[in-house]
Amino acid sequence: MRHLLDWLDIDETTWQSCIREAHRFADHRSLHANRFLGKALGMVFFNDSLRTRVSMELAATELGANPVVVTPGSGTWGFAWEDGQAMTGGEAEHIREAVGVLSRYCHGLGVRLFAEGLDRERDVSDARLKVFAAASDVPVLNLESAARHPCQALADASVLHRTFDGNPAGKKFVLHWTWHPKALPMAVPNSTLLMASRLGMDVVVARPEGFGLDEEVMEAARRQAAAHGGSVTVTTDADAAADGAHVVYAKAWGGFERYHDPSAEESRRHANRDWRVSSSRMACTDQGMFMHCLPVRRGVVVDDAVLDEGPSLHLDQAEFRLHAQKAILSMMWGGETAAEAASATTSYS
Ligand code: CP
């Protein structure tokens, strides 16, 4: 059974094969139209979505499978998570039965399950995602959890390959923290950092004091960068980071202080309101491309002109969600064989 919870669990050959497959699907929208006829993909969305939901429903449908979406607590039962406790609260069904039942109906399950923001260890370790996966008898796809967003990472990696003619390695990639009214979770920055370092890019994490990423993720990114000829550095100077950058990937996230002192985190975050990607910051880059996973707050995270006048890849990223997720479904249910992948000549490291 092949879950996709985190690309760190997936070998290099498969990662490269998925990027290659995403490009093939991008070039041929109707490729493998009936490959998964008769299969059902269940998707459980505990949190809101536009891109993930629509692109995943389309990806499954265009490959011949039937997507089924469940939104717990809104038209279906709410699910309880705690073990060994009488379910006297509002939830009518335990996650163990819910996932068990869905895996009798479906051949694969996707789940969106954001950080709760209450217990750092629980969020960092993706504890609830692991409970969900353990209860399933069929493969589970992470559609954005507390700590990872692998579908976004594959789409972004595929876009970067296309943008840099198959060779993003050695390009300067800035992961640029931005202010946001809410302490957003770290799934996207974690996955973005891991993705760019795996591509061998020279990654600069630009963020204010107090907004460091999880050290285990940083360490994994440094290891990947070293293995693929890139680097990972950190700075609190956004202007210096932008200087000569080929890519500026904007993302807001909350500091870990939120778990023990939320008001201190909020004050610190609001003191950094000027961390926004402006046209003047982009002008310091080396004709750099703007990236964002969307949804994005205009005038907060980024100036309108950066999005409207470019160069920006944000809509390509969204488009590639469809192509990348077809590649992921093919990996999950069987597509390109290991022998085909191993004999491919293009390297995506
Ligand atoms: N980028 C992304 O996952 O978008 P949605 O939250 O709309 O799914």
Side-chain angles (χ1 to χ4, degrees), residues 129-149:
L129 177 68
K130 288 172 184 162
V131 167
F132 188 103
S136 176
D137 294 326
V138 295
V140 171
L141 300 180
N142 179 353
L143 303 180
E144 190 174 349
S145 62
R148 298 289 189 275
H149 196 351

mmCIF file with all atom_site columns, all heavy atoms in Angstrom, residues 129-149:
data_model
loop_
_atom_site.group_PDB
_atom_site.id
_atom_site.type_symbol
_atom_site.label_atom_id
_atom_site.label_alt_id
_atom_site.label_comp_id
_atom_site.label_asym_id
_atom_site.label_entity_id
_atom_site.label_seq_id
_atom_site.pdbx_PDB_ins_code
_atom_site.Cartn_x
_atom_site.Cartn_y
_atom_site.Cartn_z
_atom_site.occupancy
_atom_site.B_iso_or_equiv
_atom_site.pdbx_formal_charge
_atom_site.auth_seq_id
_atom_site.auth_comp_id
_atom_site.auth_asym_id
_atom_site.auth_atom_id
_atom_site.pdbx_PDB_model_num
ATOM 1   N N   . LEU A 1 129 ? -2.885 13.045 11.060 1.00 0.00 ? 129 LEU A N   1
ATOM 2   C CA  . LEU A 1 129 ? -2.747 12.434 9.727  1.00 0.00 ? 129 LEU A CA  1
ATOM 3   C C   . LEU A 1 129 ? -2.331 10.969 9.871  1.00 0.00 ? 129 LEU A C   1
ATOM 4   O O   . LEU A 1 129 ? -2.827 10.091 9.143  1.00 0.00 ? 129 LEU A O   1
ATOM 5   C CB  . LEU A 1 129 ? -1.703 13.208 8.914  1.00 0.00 ? 129 LEU A CB  1
ATOM 6   C CG  . LEU A 1 129 ? -1.385 12.645 7.532  1.00 0.00 ? 129 LEU A CG  1
ATOM 7   C CD1 . LEU A 1 129 ? -2.583 12.787 6.598  1.00 0.00 ? 129 LEU A CD1 1
ATOM 8   C CD2 . LEU A 1 129 ? -0.160 13.326 6.932  1.00 0.00 ? 129 LEU A CD2 1
ATOM 9   N N   . LYS A 1 130 ? -1.435 10.714 10.806 1.00 0.00 ? 130 LYS A N   1
ATOM 10  C CA  . LYS A 1 130 ? -0.956 9.336  11.000 1.00 0.00 ? 130 LYS A CA  1
ATOM 11  C C   . LYS A 1 130 ? -2.073 8.440  11.552 1.00 0.00 ? 130 LYS A C   1
ATOM 12  O O   . LYS A 1 130 ? -2.168 7.266  11.184 1.00 0.00 ? 130 LYS A O   1
ATOM 13  C CB  . LYS A 1 130 ? 0.276  9.330  11.900 1.00 0.00 ? 130 LYS A CB  1
ATOM 14  C CG  . LYS A 1 130 ? 1.484  9.887  11.162 1.00 0.00 ? 130 LYS A CG  1
ATOM 15  C CD  . LYS A 1 130 ? 2.689  10.086 12.023 1.00 0.00 ? 130 LYS A CD  1
ATOM 16  C CE  . LYS A 1 130 ? 3.808  10.741 11.193 1.00 0.00 ? 130 LYS A CE  1
ATOM 17  N NZ  . LYS A 1 130 ? 4.841  11.358 12.019 1.00 0.00 ? 130 LYS A NZ  1
ATOM 18  N N   . VAL A 1 131 ? -2.912 8.982  12.419 1.00 0.00 ? 131 VAL A N   1
ATOM 19  C CA  . VAL A 1 131 ? -4.053 8.223  12.926 1.00 0.00 ? 131 VAL A CA  1
ATOM 20  C C   . VAL A 1 131 ? -4.986 7.873  11.767 1.00 0.00 ? 131 VAL A C   1
ATOM 21  O O   . VAL A 1 131 ? -5.452 6.733  11.627 1.00 0.00 ? 131 VAL A O   1
ATOM 22  C CB  . VAL A 1 131 ? -4.813 9.036  14.007 1.00 0.00 ? 131 VAL A CB  1
ATOM 23  C CG1 . VAL A 1 131 ? -6.169 8.416  14.322 1.00 0.00 ? 131 VAL A CG1 1
ATOM 24  C CG2 . VAL A 1 131 ? -3.970 9.170  15.270 1.00 0.00 ? 131 VAL A CG2 1
ATOM 25  N N   . PHE A 1 132 ? -5.237 8.851  10.910 1.00 0.00 ? 132 PHE A N   1
ATOM 26  C CA  . PHE A 1 132 ? -6.113 8.636  9.750  1.00 0.00 ? 132 PHE A CA  1
ATOM 27  C C   . PHE A 1 132 ? -5.528 7.536  8.861  1.00 0.00 ? 132 PHE A C   1
ATOM 28  O O   . PHE A 1 132 ? -6.232 6.591  8.476  1.00 0.00 ? 132 PHE A O   1
ATOM 29  C CB  . PHE A 1 132 ? -6.240 9.952  8.967  1.00 0.00 ? 132 PHE A CB  1
ATOM 30  C CG  . PHE A 1 132 ? -7.249 9.940  7.855  1.00 0.00 ? 132 PHE A CG  1
ATOM 31  C CD1 . PHE A 1 132 ? -8.488 10.550 8.012  1.00 0.00 ? 132 PHE A CD1 1
ATOM 32  C CD2 . PHE A 1 132 ? -6.971 9.337  6.627  1.00 0.00 ? 132 PHE A CD2 1
ATOM 33  C CE1 . PHE A 1 132 ? -9.427 10.557 6.975  1.00 0.00 ? 132 PHE A CE1 1
ATOM 34  C CE2 . PHE A 1 132 ? -7.900 9.329  5.593  1.00 0.00 ? 132 PHE A CE2 1
ATOM 35  C CZ  . PHE A 1 132 ? -9.134 9.947  5.773  1.00 0.00 ? 132 PHE A CZ  1
ATOM 36  N N   . ALA A 1 133 ? -4.232 7.649  8.542  1.00 0.00 ? 133 ALA A N   1
ATOM 37  C CA  . ALA A 1 133 ? -3.597 6.677  7.642  1.00 0.00 ? 133 ALA A CA  1
ATOM 38  C C   . ALA A 1 133 ? -3.606 5.276  8.257  1.00 0.00 ? 133 ALA A C   1
ATOM 39  O O   . ALA A 1 133 ? -3.827 4.276  7.558  1.00 0.00 ? 133 ALA A O   1
ATOM 40  C CB  . ALA A 1 133 ? -2.178 7.119  7.311  1.00 0.00 ? 133 ALA A CB  1
ATOM 41  N N   . ALA A 1 134 ? -3.379 5.220  9.572  1.00 0.00 ? 134 ALA A N   1
ATOM 42  C CA  . ALA A 1 134 ? -3.323 3.902  10.239 1.00 0.00 ? 134 ALA A CA  1
ATOM 43  C C   . ALA A 1 134 ? -4.687 3.216  10.217 1.00 0.00 ? 134 ALA A C   1
ATOM 44  O O   . ALA A 1 134 ? -4.764 1.988  10.248 1.00 0.00 ? 134 ALA A O   1
ATOM 45  C CB  . ALA A 1 134 ? -2.843 4.076  11.675 1.00 0.00 ? 134 ALA A CB  1
ATOM 46  N N   . ALA A 1 135 ? -5.757 4.003  10.160 1.00 0.00 ? 135 ALA A N   1
ATOM 47  C CA  . ALA A 1 135 ? -7.101 3.420  10.165 1.00 0.00 ? 135 ALA A CA  1
ATOM 48  C C   . ALA A 1 135 ? -7.553 2.978  8.776  1.00 0.00 ? 135 ALA A C   1
ATOM 49  O O   . ALA A 1 135 ? -8.612 2.370  8.630  1.00 0.00 ? 135 ALA A O   1
ATOM 50  C CB  . ALA A 1 135 ? -8.102 4.434  10.730 1.00 0.00 ? 135 ALA A CB  1
ATOM 51  N N   . SER A 1 136 ? -6.755 3.297  7.758  1.00 0.00 ? 136 SER A N   1
ATOM 52  C CA  . SER A 1 136 ? -7.176 3.023  6.380  1.00 0.00 ? 136 SER A CA  1
ATOM 53  C C   . SER A 1 136 ? -6.610 1.707  5.862  1.00 0.00 ? 136 SER A C   1
ATOM 54  O O   . SER A 1 136 ? -5.445 1.384  6.100  1.00 0.00 ? 136 SER A O   1
ATOM 55  C CB  . SER A 1 136 ? -6.697 4.173  5.473  1.00 0.00 ? 136 SER A CB  1
ATOM 56  O OG  . SER A 1 136 ? -7.007 3.881  4.133  1.00 0.00 ? 136 SER A OG  1
ATOM 57  N N   . ASP A 1 137 ? -7.425 0.984  5.115  1.00 0.00 ? 137 ASP A N   1
ATOM 58  C CA  . ASP A 1 137 ? -6.966 -0.234 4.442  1.00 0.00 ? 137 ASP A CA  1
ATOM 59  C C   . ASP A 1 137 ? -6.546 0.042  3.006  1.00 0.00 ? 137 ASP A C   1
ATOM 60  O O   . ASP A 1 137 ? -6.173 -0.878 2.279  1.00 0.00 ? 137 ASP A O   1
ATOM 61  C CB  . ASP A 1 137 ? -8.093 -1.281 4.421  1.00 0.00 ? 137 ASP A CB  1
ATOM 62  C CG  . ASP A 1 137 ? -8.418 -1.768 5.828  1.00 0.00 ? 137 ASP A CG  1
ATOM 63  O OD1 . ASP A 1 137 ? -7.479 -1.838 6.647  1.00 0.00 ? 137 ASP A OD1 1
ATOM 64  O OD2 . ASP A 1 137 ? -9.602 -2.042 6.097  1.00 0.00 ? 137 ASP A OD2 1
ATOM 65  N N   . VAL A 1 138 ? -6.647 1.316  2.583  1.00 0.00 ? 138 VAL A N   1
ATOM 66  C CA  . VAL A 1 138 ? -6.268 1.674  1.208  1.00 0.00 ? 138 VAL A CA  1
ATOM 67  C C   . VAL A 1 138 ? -5.277 2.846  1.284  1.00 0.00 ? 138 VAL A C   1
ATOM 68  O O   . VAL A 1 138 ? -5.156 3.496  2.326  1.00 0.00 ? 138 VAL A O   1
ATOM 69  C CB  . VAL A 1 138 ? -7.518 2.070  0.375  1.00 0.00 ? 138 VAL A CB  1
ATOM 70  C CG1 . VAL A 1 138 ? -8.449 0.880  0.195  1.00 0.00 ? 138 VAL A CG1 1
ATOM 71  C CG2 . VAL A 1 138 ? -8.249 3.255  1.002  1.00 0.00 ? 138 VAL A CG2 1
ATOM 72  N N   . PRO A 1 139 ? -4.560 3.135  0.180  1.00 0.00 ? 139 PRO A N   1
ATOM 73  C CA  . PRO A 1 139 ? -3.575 4.224  0.231  1.00 0.00 ? 139 PRO A CA  1
ATOM 74  C C   . PRO A 1 139 ? -4.202 5.564  0.575  1.00 0.00 ? 139 PRO A C   1
ATOM 75  O O   . PRO A 1 139 ? -5.330 5.862  0.170  1.00 0.00 ? 139 PRO A O   1
ATOM 76  C CB  . PRO A 1 139 ? -3.012 4.251  -1.196 1.00 0.00 ? 139 PRO A CB  1
ATOM 77  C CG  . PRO A 1 139 ? -3.295 2.921  -1.773 1.00 0.00 ? 139 PRO A CG  1
ATOM 78  C CD  . PRO A 1 139 ? -4.560 2.441  -1.130 1.00 0.00 ? 139 PRO A CD  1
ATOM 79  N N   . VAL A 1 140 ? -3.441 6.374  1.317  1.00 0.00 ? 140 VAL A N   1
ATOM 80  C CA  . VAL A 1 140 ? -3.910 7.699  1.761  1.00 0.00 ? 140 VAL A CA  1
ATOM 81  C C   . VAL A 1 140 ? -3.014 8.774  1.155  1.00 0.00 ? 140 VAL A C   1
ATOM 82  O O   . VAL A 1 140 ? -1.783 8.678  1.208  1.00 0.00 ? 140 VAL A O   1
ATOM 83  C CB  . VAL A 1 140 ? -3.888 7.792  3.296  1.00 0.00 ? 140 VAL A CB  1
ATOM 84  C CG1 . VAL A 1 140 ? -4.161 9.219  3.769  1.00 0.00 ? 140 VAL A CG1 1
ATOM 85  C CG2 . VAL A 1 140 ? -4.920 6.833  3.902  1.00 0.00 ? 140 VAL A CG2 1
ATOM 86  N N   . LEU A 1 141 ? -3.647 9.798  0.584  1.00 0.00 ? 141 LEU A N   1
ATOM 87  C CA  . LEU A 1 141 ? -2.936 10.958 0.046  1.00 0.00 ? 141 LEU A CA  1
ATOM 88  C C   . LEU A 1 141 ? -3.133 12.134 0.979  1.00 0.00 ? 141 LEU A C   1
ATOM 89  O O   . LEU A 1 141 ? -4.270 12.466 1.333  1.00 0.00 ? 141 LEU A O   1
ATOM 90  C CB  . LEU A 1 141 ? -3.490 11.356 -1.321 1.00 0.00 ? 141 LEU A CB  1
ATOM 91  C CG  . LEU A 1 141 ? -3.425 10.348 -2.452 1.00 0.00 ? 141 LEU A CG  1
ATOM 92  C CD1 . LEU A 1 141 ? -4.032 10.962 -3.714 1.00 0.00 ? 141 LEU A CD1 1
ATOM 93  C CD2 . LEU A 1 141 ? -1.990 9.941  -2.697 1.00 0.00 ? 141 LEU A CD2 1
ATOM 94  N N   . ASN A 1 142 ? -2.051 12.794 1.306  1.00 0.00 ? 142 ASN A N   1
ATOM 95  C CA  . ASN A 1 142 ? -2.110 13.996 2.130  1.00 0.00 ? 142 ASN A CA  1
ATOM 96  C C   . ASN A 1 142 ? -2.489 15.186 1.241  1.00 0.00 ? 142 ASN A C   1
ATOM 97  O O   . ASN A 1 142 ? -1.720 15.588 0.368  1.00 0.00 ? 142 ASN A O   1
ATOM 98  C CB  . ASN A 1 142 ? -0.726 14.201 2.763  1.00 0.00 ? 142 ASN A CB  1
ATOM 99  C CG  . ASN A 1 142 ? -0.653 15.447 3.620  1.00 0.00 ? 142 ASN A CG  1
ATOM 100 O OD1 . ASN A 1 142 ? -1.578 16.244 3.650  1.00 0.00 ? 142 ASN A OD1 1
ATOM 101 N ND2 . ASN A 1 142 ? 0.470  15.612 4.307  1.00 0.00 ? 142 ASN A ND2 1
ATOM 102 N N   . LEU A 1 143 ? -3.658 15.745 1.468  1.00 0.00 ? 143 LEU A N   1
ATOM 103 C CA  . LEU A 1 143 ? -4.131 16.898 0.687  1.00 0.00 ? 143 LEU A CA  1
ATOM 104 C C   . LEU A 1 143 ? -3.884 18.211 1.438  1.00 0.00 ? 143 LEU A C   1
ATOM 105 O O   . LEU A 1 143 ? -4.549 19.206 1.190  1.00 0.00 ? 143 LEU A O   1
ATOM 106 C CB  . LEU A 1 143 ? -5.629 16.748 0.375  1.00 0.00 ? 143 LEU A CB  1
ATOM 107 C CG  . LEU A 1 143 ? -6.029 15.474 -0.372 1.00 0.00 ? 143 LEU A CG  1
ATOM 108 C CD1 . LEU A 1 143 ? -7.541 15.437 -0.619 1.00 0.00 ? 143 LEU A CD1 1
ATOM 109 C CD2 . LEU A 1 143 ? -5.277 15.361 -1.689 1.00 0.00 ? 143 LEU A CD2 1
ATOM 110 N N   . GLU A 1 144 ? -2.987 18.218 2.313  1.00 0.00 ? 144 GLU A N   1
ATOM 111 C CA  . GLU A 1 144 ? -2.437 19.271 3.192  1.00 0.00 ? 144 GLU A CA  1
ATOM 112 C C   . GLU A 1 144 ? -2.805 18.957 4.628  1.00 0.00 ? 144 GLU A C   1
ATOM 113 O O   . GLU A 1 144 ? -3.969 18.981 5.024  1.00 0.00 ? 144 GLU A O   1
ATOM 114 C CB  . GLU A 1 144 ? -2.875 20.699 2.867  1.00 0.00 ? 144 GLU A CB  1
ATOM 115 C CG  . GLU A 1 144 ? -2.032 21.700 3.705  1.00 0.00 ? 144 GLU A CG  1
ATOM 116 C CD  . GLU A 1 144 ? -2.248 23.175 3.381  1.00 0.00 ? 144 GLU A CD  1
ATOM 117 O OE1 . GLU A 1 144 ? -2.895 23.519 2.365  1.00 0.00 ? 144 GLU A OE1 1
ATOM 118 O OE2 . GLU A 1 144 ? -1.745 23.993 4.189  1.00 0.00 ? 144 GLU A OE2 1
ATOM 119 N N   . SER A 1 145 ? -1.735 18.709 5.362  1.00 0.00 ? 145 SER A N   1
ATOM 120 C CA  . SER A 1 145 ? -1.855 18.360 6.775  1.00 0.00 ? 145 SER A CA  1
ATOM 121 C C   . SER A 1 145 ? -1.288 19.489 7.620  1.00 0.00 ? 145 SER A C   1
ATOM 122 O O   . SER A 1 145 ? -0.990 20.577 7.119  1.00 0.00 ? 145 SER A O   1
ATOM 123 C CB  . SER A 1 145 ? -1.081 17.068 7.034  1.00 0.00 ? 145 SER A CB  1
ATOM 124 O OG  . SER A 1 145 ? 0.286  17.281 6.746  1.00 0.00 ? 145 SER A OG  1
ATOM 125 N N   . ALA A 1 146 ? -1.090 19.207 8.897  1.00 0.00 ? 146 ALA A N   1
ATOM 126 C CA  . ALA A 1 146 ? -0.487 20.199 9.795  1.00 0.00 ? 146 ALA A CA  1
ATOM 127 C C   . ALA A 1 146 ? 0.917  20.575 9.343  1.00 0.00 ? 146 ALA A C   1
ATOM 128 O O   . ALA A 1 146 ? 1.322  21.729 9.444  1.00 0.00 ? 146 ALA A O   1
ATOM 129 C CB  . ALA A 1 146 ? -0.446 19.634 11.217 1.00 0.00 ? 146 ALA A CB  1
ATOM 130 N N   . ALA A 1 147 ? 1.656  19.605 8.820  1.00 0.00 ? 147 ALA A N   1
ATOM 131 C CA  . ALA A 1 147 ? 3.091  19.822 8.588  1.00 0.00 ? 147 ALA A CA  1
ATOM 132 C C   . ALA A 1 147 ? 3.549  19.678 7.143  1.00 0.00 ? 147 ALA A C   1
ATOM 133 O O   . ALA A 1 147 ? 4.699  20.012 6.843  1.00 0.00 ? 147 ALA A O   1
ATOM 134 C CB  . ALA A 1 147 ? 3.897  18.858 9.469  1.00 0.00 ? 147 ALA A CB  1
ATOM 135 N N   . ARG A 1 148 ? 2.711  19.192 6.238  1.00 0.00 ? 148 ARG A N   1
ATOM 136 C CA  . ARG A 1 148 ? 3.154  18.971 4.855  1.00 0.00 ? 148 ARG A CA  1
ATOM 137 C C   . ARG A 1 148 ? 2.030  19.232 3.853  1.00 0.00 ? 148 ARG A C   1
ATOM 138 O O   . ARG A 1 148 ? 0.848  19.015 4.165  1.00 0.00 ? 148 ARG A O   1
ATOM 139 C CB  . ARG A 1 148 ? 3.616  17.511 4.652  1.00 0.00 ? 148 ARG A CB  1
ATOM 140 C CG  . ARG A 1 148 ? 4.797  17.059 5.474  1.00 0.00 ? 148 ARG A CG  1
ATOM 141 C CD  . ARG A 1 148 ? 6.122  17.677 5.035  1.00 0.00 ? 148 ARG A CD  1
ATOM 142 N NE  . ARG A 1 148 ? 7.225  17.051 5.720  1.00 0.00 ? 148 ARG A NE  1
ATOM 143 C CZ  . ARG A 1 148 ? 7.675  17.416 6.943  1.00 0.00 ? 148 ARG A CZ  1
ATOM 144 N NH1 . ARG A 1 148 ? 7.105  18.407 7.590  1.00 0.00 ? 148 ARG A NH1 1
ATOM 145 N NH2 . ARG A 1 148 ? 8.693  16.763 7.491  1.00 0.00 ? 148 ARG A NH2 1
ATOM 146 N N   . HIS A 1 149 ? 2.446  19.623 2.632  1.00 0.00 ? 149 HIS A N   1
ATOM 147 C CA  . HIS A 1 149 ? 1.494  19.752 1.516  1.00 0.00 ? 149 HIS A CA  1
ATOM 148 C C   . HIS A 1 149 ? 2.166  19.152 0.273  1.00 0.00 ? 149 HIS A C   1
ATOM 149 O O   . HIS A 1 149 ? 2.619  19.864 -0.626 1.00 0.00 ? 149 HIS A O   1
ATOM 150 C CB  . HIS A 1 149 ? 1.140  21.228 1.300  1.00 0.00 ? 149 HIS A CB  1
ATOM 151 C CG  . HIS A 1 149 ? -0.093 21.468 0.470  1.00 0.00 ? 149 HIS A CG  1
ATOM 152 N ND1 . HIS A 1 149 ? -0.747 20.457 -0.217 1.00 0.00 ? 149 HIS A ND1 1
ATOM 153 C CD2 . HIS A 1 149 ? -0.786 22.605 0.201  1.00 0.00 ? 149 HIS A CD2 1
ATOM 154 C CE1 . HIS A 1 149 ? -1.779 20.972 -0.868 1.00 0.00 ? 149 HIS A CE1 1
ATOM 155 N NE2 . HIS A 1 149 ? -1.824 22.272 -0.631 1.00 0.00 ? 149 HIS A NE2 1
#
